Amino acid sequence: MKGVDSLKEKNTTNSPIASQNYSDNHKSNNSSNKRKTKNISGTRREKPPVQIIPLGGLEEIGKNMTVIRCDGQAVIVDCGMAFPDDDLLGVDAVIPDFSYLGEIENEIQGLVLTHGHEDHIGGIPFLLHEYSIPIYGTALTIGLVENKLKEDGSSSLSLLHTVESGSTFKLGKFSIEMIRVNHSIPDSSALAITTPGGVIIHTGDFKIDYTPVFEKTADLNRLGEYGKNGVLALLCDSTNAERPGNSVSESHVGASFESLFSRAEGKRVIIATFSSNVQRIQQIIDFAENHNRKIAVSGRSMVGTVELAQRLGYLHYKEKTLISMDEISRYRMEDLVIITTGSQGEPMSALSRMAAGTHRQVTITDKDFIIISATPIPGNEKTVNTVINSLLKLGSDVIYESMYEVHASGHACQNEIKLMLSLVKPKFFMPVHGEYKHLVKNAETAYELGYDRKHVILAEIGDVVSVTSRSASITDTVESGRVMVDGIGVGDVGIAVLRDRQHLASDGMVVVVCSIDENNGNLISGPDIISRGFVYMKESEELIDEAKRTAAAVLSRFSGKNKRRRNELKSALREEIGRLLYQRTKRNPMVLTVVMEI
Amino acid sequence: MKGVDSLKEKNTTNSPIASQNYSDNHKSNNSSNKRKTKNISGTRREKPPVQIIPLGGLEEIGKNMTVIRCDGQAVIVDCGMAFPDDDLLGVDAVIPDFSYLGEIENEIQGLVLTHGHEDHIGGIPFLLHEYSIPIYGTALTIGLVENKLKEDGSSSLSLLHTVESGSTFKLGKFSIEMIRVNHSIPDSSALAITTPGGVIIHTGDFKIDYTPVFEKTADLNRLGEYGKNGVLALLCDSTNAERPGNSVSESHVGASFESLFSRAEGKRVIIATFSSNVQRIQQIIDFAENHNRKIAVSGRSMVGTVELAQRLGYLHYKEKTLISMDEISRYRMEDLVIITTGSQGEPMSALSRMAAGTHRQVTITDKDFIIISATPIPGNEKTVNTVINSLLKLGSDVIYESMYEVHASGHACQNEIKLMLSLVKPKFFMPVHGEYKHLVKNAETAYELGYDRKHVILAEIGDVVSVTSRSASITDTVESGRVMVDGIGVGDVGIAVLRDRQHLASDGMVVVVCSIDENNGNLISGPDIISRGFVYMKESEELIDEAKRTAAAVLSRFSGKNKRRRNELKSALREEIGRLLYQRTKRNPMVLTVVMEI
């Protein structure tokens, strides 16, 4: 770690709590305060402002990443990826634009991870291609990152540091406490980042579960202590801010499972869920063991996470409970539970292969009882429905979201956000993680508690939000945006390429080819026409012939013309062929012209 | 109408109810019955079976169409279209395969429409391109079809016949009663089709609304009478069969509007809803008039439907209430209500243009109060969210589904389906209109009421379901499927074209062009490389150069070879260029090769 001692020099207590002065400030009901700040040594000076620079996760779902900068040093919170929207044709993943990090490279003390979901860690391999930054997180998070880096063939494993939930560690002038919160993956943390300018709390993804399974309730007391001592700004998960009330407890899902396991008697149970939802998997394992069933695990990421979680002590099962997929044929259907990936209908996932009848070890019949224990992420509804329909047609029972409580969201609803705000009592409140509508709803939740618009920060990615005890304002913007990953290409698919893909996708393309004499422009060979994705060629011979005649007519117009005039030949061909095809079909294929001069 | 008298000859009463014998049959608790059927003239003979042939609407949402065939005659119920799934790249609409109608063309007595939604009438223009079939429906339905045919430039307007809700009319040997049901468009009907083989009731799309607005509750009494007298089969809407309980009443939405109009005081109100939801539009008009606001209508389909519905007497407003969009600038914001299309986030709709700042007459500010009074159809969530986010960023209030009851579904939930079943008491129950999972849930609803699997028909499109008083079975299948409409092409976009579009969409394409001497295969010109949608060419010069070198190497290998061997040239070029590009980018662009022999 670099420069871990500087904070200690300023604050002789071990508490990572912001200075008394700011806390006074807060107690005076957020009134503006002109008194000078007093530092430990007794001399008066202004505290440095804290800059909060979101590089992802605002006005979008995914690729969460935030830079916290103060007094010439910076820490990064999370480095996620996003799944591409439907309009990003052929794009595999979207990651934040890291350009800004280049400007502050020397200031960066480390990257701290709130938890191990892809939208918080998925960008790390790409980040480490460019920068060497030490990374901190709880054991499961670091384990998942390690798997990811090994797959990437990365040599940066030494940058990974495991810290304990509830512990405090130092990064340069910053002190960071990992505060336990509940979420749909174990060991999730809110971060209390004590900077020379005040305390920033980032909730990460969180919910508050009073009856969690295999873990404790979010550390409300610690959050309350920070609140009592003064918090400059709270960055708060907005994902479920549209929902009133409280999220459903993970233990509630257990009650559903109990009755479903009874209904499934005599049948094989297949449960699809997120591989990262280790608490859910532990519940399934416990029910399986209670019902004397063996468990097999299908799907690469599910196998990997179960192995990792068990090795790190997050998952517990009897030695003989787990069998391999190749062994399932040796057991009776009613003695089995299969835990599988594919709860989002992902086309190549294990559940999709079962539904399509192409899974190597599993053939679905009316002896199967299938539970999809996850809510479709917006945009995935159709693929999930396709899988459900196929499984039903194979005769199996399928239990899915709209029928039973077989999933509980991992994100705080309005009451939990209000509780977080009431405990932490931040001077400034900044909604993060969500589309604009989620940020707005989260802001409105704060307004309900009496916050005014000056103390609620609605920012965009790339904004530099400067916060002092007196005010918060956007003082600058930095380079930010989305970088598209396609294959091994990072950032080489841009707007122009995507526009072409959209054009090709909607109407296909037509290539007009000919060769002409370079001296006089006379036709030597062709014109030929090739098309793909436009019309079915064999059934449209007439149209293609007509296009050839049109091309020949254009070519003969240019025949004998000098070379300069022939520059217009290609655009004339493109225009006239395009016009003809549109007239005949009301479609606009991409028209490419290849004129070889010989 | 053709042959309207045949039924009368058999049944001397005016009641369109099935023969007493079948009804006895039903009363004997569905027990199999070997007694011979007695017809009116006293001689014993078997009744002819009724064939139900769904051509669309099963295992899918949309393009609803069913043929009912009996004793050498047939009627068609509905002729809808479906919106293409995301994987049908570039496809504008999907309609049923009409091939089977060609086989029974002489038998077809008419097409009867349950209501005027696109998924029930959208296929009609395409149907009339091939067949001349008289069409029957209530006034609004026929009005909407007429508009559609006029747009299509059709000369078939004389085929349209308006029938009254609640009336009975004859088509050949069939007698058809239009039974009033509730739905999200006025004058929706269930059809009671009395055939020589028994009564078939088709619910169309329905809900049962005890407190509808501007119309009456579904005609429960008439449905009950049919049930008392005996119904052979009930074809029942499955859209909401997953939902327990009852659907929300349309009048409930009014209560939401009341409080929203109060909240909107001092602001312009903009409400987006389906143009066909005339009841909703009437409610909005009434609230506007009560609050002394003028109404303007934006969006082509909204303007068209409001005009049509007012002309036909479905919409009522004071003469001065309605103003044109061009007049809105003459009024204060707080005196206006704009009713608009775009509730599904359709990219070119009026609301999307307002959100994008490109609407000619409307600029959104914080003086706008926008209500999206519709639920996103599955698959539209993302586009709707995009519009909501943009409108919020412009400072307006936006009220959307997840926050208030500003929409009520038009489809029956489980309790309403149970009521329908309990009134109609059909011998056989056939779920229609829905994905397979909806059909299964609808079937389960019948099982709950004591129906067994022999009396519930889960069919696929193209199945010929033969129903007699004794049994229902699938006796045959006919040609059926989906026909894709792209531009003016109907059916010319098939699997091969779509596969190409998907390939082009995901990785773009590369064209390798060269000309060679036809005698010896020596290179004359090229190789050149053109790409679109693959990589950004300027930044990938190196890769393109490498591909050219690879192409040149392949060409020189084939140089001097005889013509026969050169047949392999193109596939060798395609393979080696493809392999190179995949190695360098992990992408698989479509590789086309053009080798001109000169």
Side-chain angles (χ1 to χ4, degrees):
Chain A
M1 276 184 238
K2 321 180 199 166
V4 292
D5 292 322
S6 41
L7 186 91
K8 227 173 197 166
E9 288 166 22
K10 286 203 181 144
N11 190 339
T12 49
T13 73
N14 264 332
S15 159
I17 304 302
S19 84
Q20 206 57 37
N21 178 271
Y22 170 63
S23 142
D24 283 350
N25 214 349
H26 183 76
K27 279 178 190 156
S28 65
N29 198 19
N30 290 340
S31 67
S32 107
N33 174 3
K34 302 269 161 126
R35 285 177 299 169
K36 288 283 179 190
T37 306
K38 202 174 178 183
N39 73 0
I40 291 294
S41 61
T43 62
R44 286 167 180 276
R45 67 168 185 87
E46 282 284 354
K47 285 186 178 183
V50 183
Q51 291 185 334
I52 302 166
I53 304 127
L55 293 180
L58 270 58
E59 305 196 14
E60 64 186 345
I61 301 284
K63 74 174 176 69
N64 297 293
M65 184 172 196
T66 313
V67 176
I68 310 283
R69 197 174 169 219
C70 185
D71 211 15
Q73 295 196 348
V75 291
I76 305 170
V77 178
D78 291 333
C79 179
M81 56 156 283
F83 293 100
D85 282 342
D86 290 344
D87 57 336
L88 300 184
L89 294 170
V91 172
D92 300 323
V94 179
I95 56 172
D97 182 336
F98 299 136
S99 312
Y100 171 62
L101 301 184
E103 294 177 29
I104 58 163
E105 193 168 0
N106 294 329
E107 297 185 14
I108 299 170
Q109 308 300 310
L111 163 64
V112 189
L113 305 174
T114 58
H115 64 286
H117 279 153
E118 286 298 328
D119 53 336
H120 293 258
I121 67 169
I124 293 175
F126 304 97
L127 180 75
L128 296 187
H129 291 170
E130 295 180 59
Y131 303 99
S132 179
I133 297 173
I135 299 174
Y136 304 85
T138 52
L140 183 63
T141 310
I142 292 298
L144 289 164
V145 174
E146 191 176 346
N147 281 357
K148 192 176 282 298
L149 293 181
K150 281 178 181 165
E151 261 182 48
D152 192 50
S154 171
S155 56
S156 307
L157 296 180
S158 61
L159 291 169
L160 302 182
H161 303 278
T162 298
V163 291
E164 290 218 9
S165 179
S167 71
T168 303
F169 61 99
K170 299 212 167 134
L171 286 181
K173 298 176 182 176
F174 303 93
S175 167
I176 290 154
E177 180 169 344
M178 312 291 288
I179 303 178
R180 185 180 61 246
V181 293
N182 302 112
H183 188 44
S184 47
I185 183 170
D187 256 9
S188 295
S189 308
L191 307 182
I193 305 170
T194 303
T195 75
V199 176
I200 309 294
I201 293 190
H202 192 310
T203 65
D205 284 354
F206 85 105
K207 71 191 275 191
I208 293 166
D209 193 339
Y210 300 111
T211 53
V213 296
F214 316 111
E215 59 175 12
K216 292 184 198 161
T217 298
D219 192 346
L220 304 175
N221 307 73
R222 201 70 195 104
L223 290 165
E225 278 184 89
Y226 273 100
K228 193 148 181 288
N229 289 300
V231 172
L232 185 58
L234 172 67
L235 280 61
C236 179
D237 181 8
S238 310
T239 311
N240 270 351
E242 289 177 338
R243 301 192 196 173
N246 292 284
S247 62
V248 171
S249 169
E250 181 65 23
S251 59
H252 207 80
V253 178
S256 295
F257 276 143
E258 181 61 65
S259 74
L260 291 173
F261 267 81
S262 302
R263 275 181 55 191
E265 210 150 306
K267 296 190 172 190
R268 179 166 65 184
V269 173
I270 299 177
I271 306 181
T273 193
F274 293 106
S275 65
S276 57
N277 198 330
V278 175
Q279 302 103 316
R280 185 75 43 89
I281 296 169
Q282 180 70 64
Q283 291 207 75
I284 297 167
I285 290 173
D286 288 0
F287 280 110
E289 290 185 338
N290 287 343
H291 288 78
N292 293 312
R293 288 175 182 255
K294 298 289 179 192
I295 291 173
V297 176
S298 186
R300 204 171 60 96
S301 68
M302 189 63 84
V303 171
T305 310
V306 166
E307 189 276 326
L308 175 71
Q310 192 268 344
R311 180 162 49 82
L312 296 177
Y314 291 92
L315 265 186
H316 304 275
Y317 44 82
K318 295 176 196 150
E319 206 182 312
K320 289 186 175 169
T321 300
L322 210 66
I323 61 171
S324 83
M325 285 301 293
D326 287 326
E327 290 176 284
I328 62 170
S329 57
R330 310 216 309 253
Y331 294 86
R332 295 187 307 171
M333 297 284 271
E334 59 263 44
D335 293 336
L336 286 171
V337 172
I338 298 173
I339 306 177
T340 176
T341 54
S343 65
Q344 295 301 307
E346 306 90 326
M348 297 309 294
S349 67
L351 189 65
S352 291
R353 283 182 280 128
M354 292 177 199
T358 58
H359 194 287
R360 197 161 57 84
Q361 298 108 338
V362 178
T363 305
I364 300 293
T365 68
D366 59 1
K367 295 281 283 176
D368 282 300
F369 190 93
I370 302 171
I371 302 169
I372 299 181
S373 183
T375 309
I377 294 169
N380 290 352
E381 293 86 353
K382 283 213 168 186
T383 52
V384 174
N385 283 345
T386 302
V387 170
I388 292 170
N389 287 323
S390 303
L391 293 170
L392 283 168
K393 285 214 84 171
L394 294 169
S396 67
D397 293 301
V398 184
I399 308 297
Y400 52 95
E401 182 226 9
S402 52
M403 294 193 290
Y404 295 90
E405 276 170 352
V406 285
H407 186 61
S409 167
H411 297 275
C413 298
Q414 286 169 11
N415 270 0
E416 290 149 276
I417 293 169
K418 287 175 186 169
L419 173 55
M420 179 63 77
L421 265 165
S422 301
L423 285 170
V424 172
K425 291 184 174 33
K427 183 147 195 175
F428 297 100
F429 181 66
M430 180 167 164
V432 296
H433 300 180
E435 296 175 30
Y436 190 70
K437 62 178 192 152
H438 301 118
L439 306 181
V440 167
K441 281 310 277 182
N442 203 356
E444 284 172 8
T445 306
Y447 301 150
E448 272 188 62
L449 298 193
Y451 277 80
D452 63 20
R453 278 164 199 273
K454 281 189 181 167
H455 292 83
V456 174
I457 308 159
L458 281 175
E460 299 180 9
I461 60 169
D463 281 346
V464 177
V465 180
S466 277
V467 189
T468 67
S469 60
R470 287 205 295 270
S471 69
S473 55
I474 293 163
T475 53
D476 199 0
T477 57
V478 303
E479 205 168 331
S480 69
R482 59 184 187 185
V483 171
M484 284 166 271
V485 180
D486 180 5
I488 54 172
V490 178
D492 64 341
V493 170
I495 303 261
V497 170
L498 284 174
R499 207 169 31 214
D500 282 347
R501 286 185 186 174
Q502 267 151 18
H503 189 169
L504 292 165
S506 97
D507 286 320
M509 57 110 177
V510 169
V511 190
V512 185
V513 195
C514 60
S515 42
I516 59 175
D517 187 318
E518 69 172 333
N519 298 315
N520 53 25
N522 289 343
L523 189 63
I524 295 177
S525 169
D528 280 338
I529 295 214
I530 309 168
S531 95
R532 289 288 187 282
F534 168 53
V535 291
Y536 191 54
M537 289 282 268
K538 280 187 187 155
E539 292 180 358
S540 302
E541 271 175 39
E542 221 173 287
L543 177 64
I544 300 302
D545 285 345
E546 199 178 351
K548 278 188 196 167
R549 286 196 300 275
T550 301
V554 174
L555 284 161
S556 77
R557 251 180 25 230
F558 280 83
S559 170
K561 294 274 166 26
N562 64 35
K563 199 158 176 151
R564 196 176 49 78
R565 280 295 307 282
R566 286 209 303 274
N567 287 341
E568 298 157 29
L569 170 61
K570 286 175 93 171
S571 61
L573 271 174
R574 203 159 43 232
E575 259 171 47
E576 298 197 24
I577 299 282
R579 194 181 310 129
L580 170 78
L581 297 177
Y582 182 76
Q583 276 170 359
R584 294 288 179 272
T585 65
K586 292 281 179 285
R587 294 175 207 166
N588 263 322
M590 181 183 281
V591 179
L592 298 178
T593 51
V594 180
V595 179
M596 308 215 82
E597 306 205 355
I598 291 167
Chain B
M1 279 182 238
K2 320 179 199 169
V4 291
D5 291 322
S6 42
L7 187 90
K8 227 173 196 166
E9 287 164 26
K10 286 198 183 149
N11 191 338
T12 49
T13 73
N14 265 331
S15 159
I17 306 302
S19 86
Q20 204 56 39
N21 179 272
Y22 169 62
S23 140
D24 284 349
N25 214 350
H26 183 75
K27 279 176 190 154
S28 67
N29 199 21
N30 291 340
S31 68
S32 108
N33 172 2
K34 300 269 162 127
R35 285 177 298 168
K36 287 284 176 187
T37 307
K38 203 174 176 181
N39 74 359
I40 290 296
S41 60
T43 62
R44 283 164 183 278
R45 68 169 184 87
E46 282 283 356
K47 284 186 178 183
V50 183
Q51 291 186 334
I52 302 166
I53 304 128
L55 294 179
L58 270 60
E59 306 196 13
E60 63 186 344
I61 300 285
K63 74 173 175 71
N64 298 294
M65 183 172 196
T66 313
V67 176
I68 310 284
R69 197 175 169 217
C70 186
D71 210 15
Q73 295 197 347
V75 292
I76 306 169
V77 178
D78 290 334
C79 180
M81 56 155 286
F83 293 100
D85 282 342
D86 290 344
D87 56 338
L88 300 184
L89 294 170
V91 172
D92 300 322
V94 179
I95 56 172
D97 182 336
F98 299 136
S99 312
Y100 172 61
L101 301 185
E103 294 177 29
I104 57 163
E105 192 167 1
N106 294 328
E107 297 185 13
I108 299 170
Q109 308 300 311
L111 164 63
V112 189
L113 305 174
T114 58
H115 64 286
H117 279 153
E118 285 298 329
D119 53 336
H120 293 258
I121 67 170
I124 293 175
F126 305 97
L127 180 74
L128 295 187
H129 291 169
E130 296 181 59
Y131 303 99
S132 178
I133 298 173
I135 299 175
Y136 304 85
T138 52
L140 183 63
T141 309
I142 292 297
L144 289 165
V145 174
E146 192 177 344
N147 281 357
K148 191 174 280 298
L149 292 181
K150 281 179 182 164
E151 263 183 46
D152 192 49
S154 171
S155 56
S156 308
L157 295 179
S158 61
L159 291 169
L160 302 181
H161 303 278
T162 299
V163 291
E164 290 217 6
S165 179
S167 71
T168 303
F169 61 100
K170 299 212 166 135
L171 286 181
K173 297 175 183 178
F174 303 94
S175 169
I176 291 154
E177 180 169 345
M178 311 291 289
I179 303 177
R180 185 180 61 246
V181 293
N182 303 113
H183 189 44
S184 47
I185 183 170
D187 255 9
S188 295
S189 308
L191 305 182
I193 304 170
T194 302
T195 77
V199 175
I200 309 294
I201 293 190
H202 193 309
T203 66
D205 284 355
F206 84 105
K207 71 192 275 191
I208 293 165
D209 194 337
Y210 300 111
T211 53
V213 297
F214 316 110
E215 60 176 11
K216 292 183 198 160
T217 298
D219 191 346
L220 304 175
N221 307 74
R222 202 69 194 105
L223 290 164
E225 278 184 90
Y226 273 100
K228 193 148 179 288
N229 289 299
V231 172
L232 185 58
L234 172 66
L235 280 62
C236 178
D237 180 8
S238 311
T239 312
N240 270 352
E242 290 177 338
R243 301 193 197 171
N246 293 284
S247 62
V248 171
S249 170
E250 180 65 23
S251 59
H252 208 82
V253 178
S256 296
F257 276 143
E258 181 59 66
S259 75
L260 291 174
F261 266 81
S262 302
R263 276 180 55 190
E265 211 151 305
K267 296 191 172 188
R268 179 166 66 182
V269 173
I270 299 176
I271 306 182
T273 192
F274 293 107
S275 65
S276 58
N277 198 332
V278 175
Q279 302 103 315
R280 185 75 44 88
I281 296 170
Q282 180 71 65
Q283 291 206 77
I284 297 167
I285 290 174
D286 289 359
F287 280 110
E289 290 185 340
N290 287 343
H291 288 79
N292 294 312
R293 288 175 183 255
K294 299 289 178 191
I295 292 173
V297 176
S298 185
R300 204 170 60 96
S301 68
M302 188 63 83
V303 171
T305 309
V306 166
E307 189 276 326
L308 175 72
Q310 192 268 342
R311 181 161 51 80
L312 296 177
Y314 291 92
L315 265 187
H316 303 276
Y317 45 82
K318 295 176 196 151
E319 208 182 311
K320 289 186 174 170
T321 301
L322 209 67
I323 61 171
S324 83
M325 285 301 292
D326 286 326
E327 291 175 282
I328 62 170
S329 56
R330 311 217 309 255
Y331 294 85
R332 295 186 308 173
M333 297 284 270
E334 58 263 44
D335 293 336
L336 286 170
V337 172
I338 298 173
I339 306 177
T340 176
T341 54
S343 65
Q344 295 301 307
E346 306 91 325
M348 297 308 294
S349 67
L351 189 66
S352 291
R353 284 180 280 127
M354 293 177 199
T358 59
H359 194 287
R360 197 161 58 82
Q361 298 107 337
V362 178
T363 305
I364 301 293
T365 68
D366 58 1
K367 295 282 282 174
D368 282 301
F369 191 93
I370 301 170
I371 303 170
I372 299 180
S373 182
T375 309
I377 293 169
N380 290 351
E381 294 85 353
K382 283 213 167 183
T383 52
V384 174
N385 283 345
T386 303
V387 170
I388 291 170
N389 288 324
S390 303
L391 292 170
L392 283 168
K393 284 214 86 170
L394 294 169
S396 67
D397 292 302
V398 184
I399 309 297
Y400 51 96
E401 184 226 8
S402 52
M403 294 193 291
Y404 295 90
E405 275 169 352
V406 285
H407 186 60
S409 167
H411 297 275
C413 298
Q414 287 169 8
N415 271 359
E416 290 150 275
I417 293 169
K418 287 176 186 168
L419 173 54
M420 179 64 78
L421 265 165
S422 301
L423 284 171
V424 172
K425 293 185 172 31
K427 183 146 194 175
F428 297 100
F429 181 66
M430 179 167 163
V432 297
H433 298 183
E435 295 176 30
Y436 191 70
K437 63 179 191 151
H438 301 117
L439 306 181
V440 167
K441 281 311 275 182
N442 203 355
E444 285 173 7
T445 307
Y447 301 151
E448 273 189 60
L449 298 195
Y451 278 79
D452 63 21
R453 278 165 199 273
K454 281 190 180 164
H455 292 84
V456 174
I457 308 159
L458 281 175
E460 300 180 7
I461 61 169
D463 282 346
V464 177
V465 180
S466 278
V467 190
T468 68
S469 60
R470 288 205 294 270
S471 69
S473 56
I474 293 163
T475 53
D476 198 2
T477 57
V478 302
E479 205 168 331
S480 69
R482 59 184 188 185
V483 171
M484 284 165 271
V485 180
D486 181 5
I488 54 172
V490 178
D492 64 341
V493 170
I495 304 260
V497 169
L498 284 174
R499 206 168 32 216
D500 283 347
R501 286 185 186 174
Q502 267 151 20
H503 190 171
L504 291 165
S506 96
D507 286 320
M509 56 112 178
V510 169
V511 190
V512 185
V513 195
C514 60
S515 41
I516 59 174
D517 187 318
E518 67 173 334
N519 298 314
N520 54 23
N522 289 344
L523 189 63
I524 295 176
S525 168
D528 279 338
I529 295 214
I530 309 168
S531 94
R532 289 290 186 281
F534 168 52
V535 291
Y536 190 54
M537 290 281 269
K538 280 187 189 157
E539 292 181 358
S540 302
E541 270 175 39
E542 219 173 287
L543 176 65
I544 300 302
D545 285 345
E546 199 178 353
K548 279 187 195 168
R549 286 196 299 275
T550 301
V554 175
L555 283 161
S556 76
R557 255 185 14 235
F558 279 85
S559 170
K561 293 277 166 23
N562 64 35
K563 200 160 174 147
R564 196 176 49 77
R565 278 296 307 282
R566 286 208 304 274
N567 287 341
E568 298 158 29
L569 170 60
K570 286 176 91 170
S571 61
L573 271 174
R574 202 159 44 233
E575 259 171 47
E576 297 196 23
I577 298 284
R579 193 181 310 128
L580 170 78
L581 298 178
Y582 181 76
Q583 276 170 1
R584 294 289 179 272
T585 65
K586 292 282 180 283
R587 293 176 208 166
N588 262 322
M590 181 183 281
V591 179
L592 297 178
T593 51
V594 180
V595 179
M596 308 214 83
E597 306 206 357
I598 291 166

